[in-house]
């Protein structure tokens, strides 16, 4: 359904039962349990609480494939149950041995403490579904006191049970106190109470026909109570597209709104500061920099605000593209704010931008009529320097203001803020971005940059209200970084060679980074050891694995290296988040000046630090970092024309899942390939912002990799719908779907762009 001059919008909420409290139809106890377990409170939310997989009744779970520390729901047959008395306290333990389709007893151990009911029910040959968190005890996988439900056996069941047993078993997301079958029971109560045929389809008829989607009422039935193993995939196809359309329509509305905001166009000024800068630039821009620079220049000159994401590898030249846009705004009488996530990075950007500008960044008094002033504003600045920077921003004397979260303070004012550049966007929330936007007279232009490569479909989904550009070339003089895994478990003798390699680089006049996952001494469980207090945002690395292994710390490694004969006489210093800002900046400046040979640091050096003489990076306990983080870290070396090398040191045994990450990083220097590998190896929610929003990513059915083509189609459909009907007055069912989809959690997910 599309809008037309003859059409009349229908403002009534379609099928209001979807907004009903769940308790009205399934009872208060069940509704309260569902709300506690999954924060689901309405009929519509429950309908969209879909099974995550299905089991055929004869398809027993492969018990060898269970993952430690994850909630699991398994279908298995009891081989035997043995009960023994506990030695240290009163009571009994019942140990259950299971089998799967292999027919062999499984190594999985299931135990019930004082399990009188289990002892009576779990007889040999019984078919049952168990749910619980997989643990490890004495080297074996275990489920302790799992929830379970008995299932009718195909051979012994009555006729009705035989019919039922032929249907797939839906497996819903579960928790320790709310296993899958409790969700299934609520659904079986809910579905008969609804008139599914009356729920309006949020997908317009012509699109549903083109996509060959199952009717909505039938899809609800088949996804929750599938007739057979062929029916639920068709239902899933319908809800994948429906979800993609809802998500992309919400994003299309944001883009439409932005396109119709009134912004001050900052047209390029001939013979101005930008032209003077281009004339002084000591190298030629890459084709990508020129192409994206032209596009950005056109958007900055337009009367509506630019919203663009610029992503590219470390060293691909994003800063130059951003600087040229800032100079265009300054030429047109405006100012630019450059927001960086840490003080170290803000100071680095100040250094690199003033180096690029030269005399043109020294103010009009020294640099001439077209020059501007670049100023820094951070939270740790002395009062006098801070006051001077605030005055420069408020008066307009500073055309470019670089800073951290300090830029967001109420007392920071701009004369005419025309452009905001946000570096490493994933470290900032929408509230912070909007706080800076509010300092402008009119909506400012926005350029978001990230050196963390994002697969295009992910960028299109997560940053869906931004247009996406990619810099894929490296500027002349940059050499690829060679990466090797140093596996100490199978080659312990390689450890001395690692530090001998560091000595060789230093003796050749180069410098070395050594990166550790923590600071040391008392921060064994500190996941954010390397971060500034202002930088406790999203981390892309895996959580500590809880396997008892200790992590290398900066303090210990510095002591060790200073006593190591291979590095005798070399200048070894440390950098980490517990140092005060002045000490951090001083250490970084000394390293940049060549006064430090080996810098032992946490991930505080992950982004933006630019020391062109650094050629070797040793990452200790590299398996503690994620793929994207490892790629970011190694981008710190090989920036000055000399070959860069990265050594990924690990003590993990071959075959460990975390070794796959290291092998992937060593196999390619293409960040976009690695980002795709990253997404395939771990839950999509991690990349899509789950940890920032505090829960799941919000994607129910979609996979941003598998469904790339579908998402592209939905994006085009959504753009077409919104261009004709921005408020969705003629698409009330789609509007309702979006309203239900955009929970507070998902609003944050969408707003991350």
């Amino acid at each position: 359904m599309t809008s037309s001059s003859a059409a009349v919008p229908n403002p009534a909420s379609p099928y209001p039962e979807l907004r009903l409290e769940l308790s009205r139809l399934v009872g208060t106890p069940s509704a309260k349990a569902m709300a506690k377990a999954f924060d689901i409170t309405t009929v519509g939310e429950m309908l969209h609480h879909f099974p995550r997989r299905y089991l055929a009744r004869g398809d027993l779970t492969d018990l060898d494939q269970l993952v430690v520390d994850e909630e699991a729901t398994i279908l298995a047959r009891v081989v035997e149950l043995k009960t023994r008395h506990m030695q240290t306290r009163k009571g009994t333990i019942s140990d259950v041995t299971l089998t799967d389709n292999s027919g062999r007893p499984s190594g999985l151990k299931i135990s019930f403490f004082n399990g009188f009911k289990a002892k009576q029910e779990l007889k040999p040959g019984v078919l049952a579904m168990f749910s619980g968190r997989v643990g490890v005890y004495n080297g074996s996988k275990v489920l302790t006191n799992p929830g379970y439900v008995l299932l009718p056996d195909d051979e012994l069941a009555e006729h009705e049970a035989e019919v039922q047993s032929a249907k797939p078993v839906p497996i819903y997301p579960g928790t320790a106190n709310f296993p899958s079958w409790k969700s299934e029971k609520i659904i079986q109560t809910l579905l008969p109470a609804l008139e599914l045929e009356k729920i309006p389809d949020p997908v317009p008829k012509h699109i549903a026909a083109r996509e060959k989607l199952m009717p909505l009422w039938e899809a609800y039935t088949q996804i929750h109570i599938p007739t057979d193993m062929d029916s639920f995939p068709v239902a899933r196809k319908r809800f994948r597209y429906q979800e993609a359309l809802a998500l992309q329509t919400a994003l299309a509305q944001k883009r439409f709104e932005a396109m119709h905001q009134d912004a001050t166009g900052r047209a390029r000024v001939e013979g101005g500061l930008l032209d003077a800068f281009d004339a002084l630039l000591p190298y030629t821009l890459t084709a990508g920099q020129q192409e994206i620079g032209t596009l950005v220049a056109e958007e900055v000159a337009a009367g509506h605000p630019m919203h663009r994401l610029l992503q590219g590898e470390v060293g691909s030249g994003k800063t130059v593209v951003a600087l040229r846009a800032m100079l265009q705004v300054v030429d047109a009488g405006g100012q630019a704010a450059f927001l960086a996530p840490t003080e170290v990075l803000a100071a680095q950007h100040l250094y690199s931008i003033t180096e690029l500008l030269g005399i043109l960044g020294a103010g009009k008094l020294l640099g001439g009529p077209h020059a501007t002033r670049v100023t820094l504003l951070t939270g740790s600045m002395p009062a006098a320097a801070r006051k001077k920077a605030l005055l420069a921003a408020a008066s307009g004397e500073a055309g470019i203001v670089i800073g951290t979260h300090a830029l967001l303070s109420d007392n920071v004012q701009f004369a005419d803020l025309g452009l905001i550049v946000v570096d490493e966007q994933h470290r900032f929330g929408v509230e912070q971005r909007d706080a800076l936007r509010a300092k402008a007279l009119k909506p400012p232009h926005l350029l978001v940059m990230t050196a963390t490569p994002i697969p295009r479909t992910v960028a299109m989904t997560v940053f869906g209200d931004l247009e996406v550009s990619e810099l894929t070339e490296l500027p002349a003089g940059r050499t690829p970084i060679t990466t090797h895994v140093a596996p100490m478990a199978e080659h312990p003798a390689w450890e001395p060679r690692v530090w001998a390699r560091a000595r060789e680089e230093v003796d050749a006049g180069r410098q070395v980074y050594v990166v550790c996952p923590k600071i040391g001494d008392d921060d064994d469980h500190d996941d954010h050891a390397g971060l500034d207090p202002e930088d406790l945002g999203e981390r892309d690395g895996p959580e500590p694995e809880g396997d008892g292994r200790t992590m290398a710390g900066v303090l210990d490694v510095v002591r060790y290296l200073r006593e190591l004969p291979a590095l005798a006489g070399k200048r070894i210093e440390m950098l980490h988040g517990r140092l005060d800002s002045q000490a951090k900046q001083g250490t970084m400046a000394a390293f940049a000046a060549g006064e430090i040979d080996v810098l032992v640091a946490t991930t505080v050096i992950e982004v933006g630090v630019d020391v062109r003489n650094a050629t070797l990076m040793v990452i200790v306990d590299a398996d503690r970092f994620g793929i994207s983080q490892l790629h970011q870290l190694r981008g710190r070396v090989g920036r000055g024309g000399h070959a860069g090398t990265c050594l990924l040191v690990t003590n993990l045994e071959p075959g460990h899942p975390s070794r796959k990450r290291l092998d992937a990083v060593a196999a390619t220097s293409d960040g976009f390939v690695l980002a795709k590998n990253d997404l395939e190896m771990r839950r999509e929610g991690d990349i899509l912002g789950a940890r920032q929003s505090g829960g799941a990513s919000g994607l129910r059915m979609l996979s941003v990799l598998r469904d790339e083509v579908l998402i592209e189609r939905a994006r085009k459909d959504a753009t077409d719908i919104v261009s004709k009907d921005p408020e969705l007055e003629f698409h009330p069912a789609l509007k309702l779907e979006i309203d239900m989809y955009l929970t507070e959690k998902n609003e944050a997910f969408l707003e991350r762009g």
Side-chain angles (χ1 to χ4, degrees):
M1 179 171 62
T2 57
S3 62
S4 68
S5 58
V8 178
N10 176 14
S13 175
Y15 203 71
E17 285 87 343
L18 292 177
R19 297 187 184 276
L20 273 179
E21 291 293 317
L22 187 59
S23 59
R24 297 276 297 275
L25 296 184
V26 303
T28 300
S30 293
K32 281 186 175 180
M34 198 72 209
K36 183 177 181 181
F38 296 104
D39 197 27
I40 287 175
T41 59
T42 69
V43 169
E45 290 170 350
M46 189 68 216
L47 269 180
H48 288 88
H49 181 62
F50 298 136
R52 54 189 177 89
R53 60 191 176 96
Y54 301 82
L55 296 174
R57 192 56 58 103
D59 185 16
L60 303 185
T61 306
D62 185 345
L63 300 177
D64 292 334
Q65 299 303 312
L66 298 180
V67 178
V68 174
D69 207 32
E70 286 191 3
E71 292 290 331
T73 298
I74 64 173
L75 187 64
R77 194 175 295 278
V78 176
V79 174
E80 65 176 352
L81 181 145
K82 292 182 178 180
T83 300
R84 53 191 167 87
H85 289 280
M86 288 186 274
Q87 296 179 350
T88 57
R89 52 194 171 107
K90 291 183 178 181
T92 62
I93 299 177
S94 294
D95 295 317
V96 181
T97 302
L98 303 175
T99 186
D100 52 23
N101 282 339
S102 70
R104 299 186 302 273
S106 167
L108 175 72
K109 306 295 183 185
I110 292 190
S111 300
F112 294 90
F113 290 89
N114 298 316
F116 178 77
K117 182 182 177 185
K119 183 178 177 182
Q120 298 300 311
E121 294 182 338
L122 296 177
K123 305 292 185 183
V126 163
L127 189 66
M129 192 180 297
F130 301 87
S131 182
R133 183 170 288 274
V134 181
V136 176
Y137 182 71
N138 284 342
S140 296
K141 294 176 183 176
V142 297
L143 284 179
T144 304
N145 290 330
Y148 72 90
V149 61
L150 303 181
L151 298 174
D153 191 287
D154 295 355
E155 297 175 0
L156 304 176
E158 300 290 338
H159 174 70
E160 184 179 344
E162 286 180 351
V163 174
Q164 177 66 23
S165 71
K167 293 183 178 180
V169 179
I171 305 298
Y172 290 86
T175 69
N177 298 317
F178 201 90
S180 165
W181 51 84
K182 291 189 177 182
S183 292
E184 184 181 5
K185 187 175 179 181
I186 292 175
I187 283 290
Q188 289 176 344
T189 302
L190 178 64
L191 289 184
L194 296 172
E195 296 181 272
L196 297 177
E197 295 88 345
K198 291 187 177 181
I199 299 178
D201 193 343
V203 181
K205 287 183 179 180
H206 70 283
I207 297 176
R210 183 197 73 202
E211 296 290 321
K212 299 179 181 177
L213 301 183
M214 176 182 278
L216 183 59
W217 67 269
E218 185 180 357
Y220 278 126
T221 302
Q222 293 298 336
I223 203 160
H224 288 296
I225 311 175
T227 306
D228 51 45
M229 293 298 285
D230 294 326
S231 56
F232 67 80
V234 186
R236 276 182 159 179
K237 175 189 172 186
R238 124 80 61 183
F239 288 115
R240 275 203 299 272
Y241 184 85
Q242 185 168 313
E243 181 178 6
L245 184 65
L247 172 60
Q248 293 298 335
T249 301
L251 294 170
Q253 286 181 302
K254 291 180 181 297
R255 292 195 301 273
F256 185 90
E257 180 184 355
M259 284 291 292
H260 289 79
Q261 286 181 324
D262 183 24
T264 300
R266 313 282 180 168
R268 179 163 183 167
V269 174
E270 295 296 328
L273 176 57
L274 177 54
D275 283 352
F277 171 74
D278 284 345
L280 292 175
L281 201 61
Y283 52 81
T284 303
L285 297 176
T286 66
Q289 287 175 315
Q290 293 178 29
E291 180 183 346
I292 294 172
T294 299
L295 183 61
V296 168
E298 292 172 353
E299 292 180 334
V300 168
H304 55 80
M306 172 181 71
H307 289 80
R308 184 161 292 280
L309 169 66
L310 175 57
Q311 61 170 337
E313 297 282 8
V314 170
S316 59
K318 298 182 299 297
T319 301
V320 172
V321 173
L323 177 56
R324 295 183 73 252
M326 290 190 283
L327 297 182
Q328 179 173 327
V329 169
V330 171
D331 269 339
Q335 293 169 285
F338 194 117
L339 183 61
T342 68
E343 293 196 352
V344 168
L345 186 50
Q348 183 72 46
H349 279 307
L350 176 71
Y351 173 79
S352 60
I353 285 175
T354 51
E355 280 284 297
L356 283 168
L357 286 174
I359 195 69
L360 296 175
K364 296 183 184 301
L365 187 62
L366 296 175
H370 298 306
T372 190
R373 181 177 164 191
V374 183
T375 193
L376 178 69
L377 185 60
T378 66
S380 67
M381 291 175 69
R386 180 178 175 83
K387 185 176 180 180
K388 191 174 180 181
L390 288 171
L391 182 61
S395 67
E397 178 190 353
I400 298 174
V401 182
I402 301 170
T404 58
H405 296 68
L407 288 179
L408 311 176
S409 302
D410 291 339
N411 62 345
V412 177
Q413 296 180 337
F414 292 86
D416 185 7
L417 181 59
L419 171 65
I420 297 171
V421 178
V422 181
D423 194 27
E424 295 305 323
Q425 162 69 12
H426 63 282
R427 309 244 179 150
F428 296 99
V430 66
E431 298 86 1
Q432 295 162 320
R433 186 185 74 188
D434 285 348
L436 195 50
R437 274 176 164 170
K439 298 179 183 295
L441 303 175
K442 286 185 177 182
H445 302 283
L446 176 68
L447 181 62
V448 171
M449 301 196 303
T450 178
T452 304
I454 306 168
R456 185 162 186 83
T457 315
V458 180
M460 193 173 65
T461 303
V462 180
F463 299 101
D465 61 337
L466 301 174
E467 300 299 329
V468 181
S469 295
E470 296 172 0
L471 281 172
T472 56
E473 304 166 76
L474 290 181
R478 289 297 305 273
T479 57
I481 301 165
T482 303
T483 304
H484 302 284
V485 178
M488 297 304 165
E490 55 262 56
H491 298 291
W494 287 12
E495 197 251 355
R497 176 61 190 143
V498 168
W499 305 120
R501 184 76 180 78
R503 174 65 183 247
E504 291 166 7
E505 288 298 310
V506 175
D507 286 346
R510 313 292 174 221
Q511 292 165 278
V512 177
Y513 289 105
V514 177
V515 181
C516 304
K518 67 173 188 139
I519 298 172
D521 288 348
D522 59 352
D523 69 339
D524 285 333
H525 303 291
D526 180 5
D527 293 344
H528 307 291
L531 303 183
D532 292 85
E534 64 188 9
D535 186 31
L536 296 179
E538 165 90 358
R539 310 304 301 141
D540 74 354
E543 296 298 324
E545 298 179 27
D547 53 9
R549 293 187 294 123
T550 58
M551 289 188 286
V554 168
L555 303 181
D556 290 334
V557 171
V558 163
R559 286 191 287 263
Y560 173 72
L561 294 183
R562 284 174 176 169
E563 296 173 0
L564 199 66
L567 292 173
K570 301 307 175 186
R571 300 164 294 181
I572 302 170
E573 297 295 339
M574 70 178 81
L575 183 68
H576 57 73
R578 284 212 301 260
L579 298 172
D580 62 50
S581 294
Q582 191 170 356
K584 279 186 286 192
Q585 291 181 32
T587 300
M588 204 62 243
F591 189 59
E595 298 166 7
I596 296 171
D597 298 314
V598 179
L599 182 65
V600 184
T602 56
T603 54
V604 72
I605 55 96
E606 180 183 349
V607 291
V609 175
D610 188 7
V611 178
R612 294 174 177 265
N613 195 44
T615 52
L616 175 66
M617 175 172 288
V618 179
I619 304 181
V620 186
D621 285 341
D623 49 90
R624 296 293 189 173
F625 301 95
I627 286 178
S628 176
Q629 205 170 18
L630 291 170
H631 183 62
Q632 281 271 13
L633 285 166
R634 70 176 171 184
R636 299 300 106 212
V637 297
R639 300 173 65 85
H642 304 288
T645 302
C646 179
L647 301 179
L648 305 176
V649 179
T650 179
N651 289 298
L652 288 183
E653 297 289 339
H656 192 286
S658 294
R659 283 280 293 266
K660 293 180 182 178
R661 292 198 300 271
L662 306 188
D663 293 337
V665 173
T668 180
S669 59
D670 188 325
F672 291 96
V673 171
L674 284 174
K676 190 169 183 179
N677 290 342
D678 198 9
L679 195 57
E680 290 170 342
M681 285 186 191
R682 55 195 180 93
R683 294 181 300 115
E684 290 184 347
D686 291 344
I687 283 190
L688 296 178
R691 294 187 186 167
Q692 282 196 350
S693 64
S697 70
L699 296 184
R700 300 187 186 106
M701 280 288 174
L702 282 178
S703 163
V704 290
L705 289 182
R706 179 197 63 212
D707 300 321
E708 179 175 359
V709 175
L710 181 150
I711 291 172
E712 290 272 13
R713 290 201 306 273
R715 183 179 172 94
K716 291 176 182 176
D717 289 336
T719 302
D720 181 60
I721 289 170
V722 171
S723 68
K724 299 171 183 175
D725 183 16
E727 301 299 323
L728 303 182
E729 295 176 272
F730 300 93
H731 298 79
L734 179 55
K735 188 174 190 301
L736 174 63
E737 178 78 4
I738 292 170
D739 290 344
M740 289 195 302
Y741 183 81
L742 293 187
T743 61
E744 182 178 343
K745 175 177 65 183
N746 288 338
E747 280 280 14
F749 160 68
L750 288 180
E751 290 284 6
R752 289 181 71 238

